[in-house]
Amino acid sequence: MTRHTENTQENHSLAGDHPSCRFSVAPMLDWTDRHCRYFHRLLSQHALLYTEMVTTGAIIHGKGDFLSFNEEEHPVALQLGGSNPADLAHCAKLAQERGYDEVNLNVGCPSDRVQNGRFGACLMGEADLVALCVSAMREVVDIPVTVKTRIGIDEQDSYQFLVDFVGTVSEKGGCDNFTIHARKAWLSGLSPKENREIPPLDYPRVYQLKQDFPHLTMAINGGVKTLAEIQAHLEHLDGVMVGREAYQNPYLLAEVDQQLFGSERPAIKRREVVEAMYPYIERQLANGSYLGHMTRHMLGLFQNMPGARQWRRHISENAHKPGAGIEVVQQALDKIPAHLDV
């Protein structure tokens, strides 16, 4: 527990006014909820963590608190979905008041539901509107306002189209920080899942964008799976955002602080991560959360290790049972051979 307390204290000192984009975990719908972010923070103190995309409509009109997060998550960014400048400004102000370290506008999600609401990737075709949205948010907050986008949409996939979009949003909107998913998005014909896999990755196009806008902070996203790949991208760009790999193989985050931020603190071991989750899990259970909502994020922790399959199976088969408690996780951890120092 000492370690966890130290983590929390250092997190606050890192949050600052401008959290680093050198390494971040992507906002992923149905994945990067507050339980996931708490878990990821135990693995890396320095990674910038993002919420799932939250629409302005949900925040303004929805029932429930869509802005809640754990203090231990800092630095943490709120990703917003929307296209109404006034609504986005209102939500950005709420985010700052709640303590978020950054607000990010989603200009990359290709789902039909998002298009119907006029936000996400379809906004790449409305650069002036995106600029208005960013400007409106920047006027009411002091925290960074950033944009996550694609390299193109549908037939609008020329390099010049991307240059014009970034140029307009940066010059008219004042945005100086972009994360570029190095695939274009097909707004019709492909599902969101297919849009993450079928359009080819074009890393050199993002590298060229940074060369043409050297004054802008620019991070890359899409298909990144190893620390070596992250290091290679950092030779060309300011930051790297990792999505599915950080979720499916979360222990990737354990050496981020040492490899990317120069931390001399030894990487936390997998067992230590599980044990550090125990108090959190017990608190959340006491508050009415279900065990499975927390443990689903931990399934990949022992990927490629002896006992990993048994770990996953025990949690998957038992965490959703009525009354399931911390003992399910403890029993699952017992499936990992005791002699392994992992």
Side-chain angles (χ1 to χ4, degrees):
M1 287 308 295
T2 304
R3 171 181 207 124
H4 177 60
T5 304
E6 290 171 356
N7 286 0
T8 303
Q9 291 169 347
E10 189 169 338
N11 287 340
H12 281 292
S13 69
L14 285 168
D17 294 327
H18 297 279
S20 172
C21 80
R22 184 169 174 80
F23 179 84
S24 60
V25 178
M28 293 178 282
L29 273 174
D30 301 322
W31 286 4
T32 51
D33 61 19
R34 59 194 179 94
H35 302 314
C36 179
R37 298 191 302 269
Y38 187 96
F39 171 57
H40 283 171
R41 181 57 70 215
L42 293 174
L43 289 156
S44 168
Q45 296 175 45
H46 294 255
L48 176 60
L49 304 179
Y50 281 81
T51 68
E52 307 169 84
M53 181 189 68
V54 186
T55 66
T56 53
I59 294 171
I60 296 171
H61 307 293
K63 295 179 180 178
D65 184 359
F66 290 91
L67 297 178
S68 67
F69 66 96
N70 308 290
E71 280 299 308
E72 294 87 352
E73 293 173 32
H74 288 292
V76 60
L78 172 70
Q79 188 183 61
L80 287 173
S83 59
N84 180 298
D87 288 351
L88 285 163
H90 176 68
C91 292
K93 193 171 183 181
L94 290 176
Q96 177 169 288
E97 290 170 357
R98 292 292 292 269
Y100 280 94
D101 300 295
E102 175 188 311
V103 173
N104 178 268
L105 180 63
N106 182 318
V107 191
C109 183
S111 79
D112 293 339
R113 186 169 61 87
V114 165
Q115 290 178 59
N116 292 337
R118 201 180 175 206
F119 53 90
C122 62
L123 286 177
M124 281 200 83
E126 300 186 68
D128 286 326
L129 176 59
V130 175
L132 280 173
C133 291
V134 171
S135 178
M137 290 189 281
R138 292 183 74 246
E139 284 179 11
V140 297
V141 299
D142 301 315
I143 57 177
V145 176
T146 65
V147 167
K148 183 172 188 287
T149 189
R150 296 269 184 146
I151 58 173
I153 49 172
D154 294 340
E155 304 304 333
Q156 296 174 291
D157 61 355
S158 69
Y159 180 65
Q160 190 58 49
F161 173 76
L162 180 59
V163 167
D164 291 345
F165 174 81
V166 170
T168 297
V169 176
S170 61
E171 292 162 21
K172 293 185 178 180
C175 182
D176 60 3
N177 190 319
F178 291 81
T179 297
I180 312 291
H181 186 156
R183 287 185 174 93
K184 77 173 187 179
W186 285 102
L187 298 181
S188 59
L190 293 183
S191 70
K193 181 178 186 295
E194 289 169 332
N195 258 304
R196 292 193 296 268
E197 298 167 354
I198 291 177
L201 286 160
D202 191 345
Y203 296 143
R205 181 168 292 200
V206 185
Y207 297 167
Q208 183 63 49
L209 194 67
K210 173 61 182 178
Q211 290 179 19
D212 291 340
F213 293 92
H215 58 292
L216 298 180
T217 299
M218 209 163 286
I220 197 166
N221 170 233
V224 182
K225 294 189 175 184
T226 67
L227 283 165
E229 291 172 16
I230 293 167
Q231 296 277 20
H233 287 308
L234 288 173
E235 293 179 11
H236 303 273
L237 295 151
D238 304 296
V240 177
M241 174 183 279
V242 175
R244 284 169 292 164
E245 190 66 19
Y247 191 85
Q248 293 162 0
N249 179 27
Y251 200 67
L252 170 73
L253 303 182
E255 291 191 8
V256 160
D257 295 355
Q258 293 73 24
Q259 299 287 334
L260 305 182
F261 293 94
S263 173
E264 296 180 359
R265 185 181 300 224
I268 189 170
K269 295 183 185 296
R270 293 172 179 84
R271 286 185 187 276
E272 291 178 316
V273 177
V274 176
E275 290 166 357
M277 280 293 291
Y278 289 167
Y280 176 80
I281 290 171
E282 290 180 322
R283 285 199 305 274
Q284 296 299 318
L285 289 173
N287 289 332
S289 294
Y290 292 101
L291 182 66
H293 291 172
M294 293 172 273
T295 55
R296 69 190 184 101
H297 306 298
M298 303 167 64
L299 292 175
L301 182 60
F302 292 93
Q303 182 169 300
N304 299 323
M305 302 295 297
R309 186 176 300 172
Q310 292 87 342
W311 155 267
R312 290 194 306 270
R313 181 185 299 145
H314 189 81
I315 290 176
S316 298
E317 291 177 354
N318 296 285
H320 292 281
K321 292 180 179 177
I326 194 73
E327 70 283 347
V328 171
V329 187
Q330 294 168 330
Q331 291 161 2
L333 188 57
D334 288 340
K335 307 292 183 183
I336 306 299
H339 67 275
L340 293 179
D341 184 29
V342 296

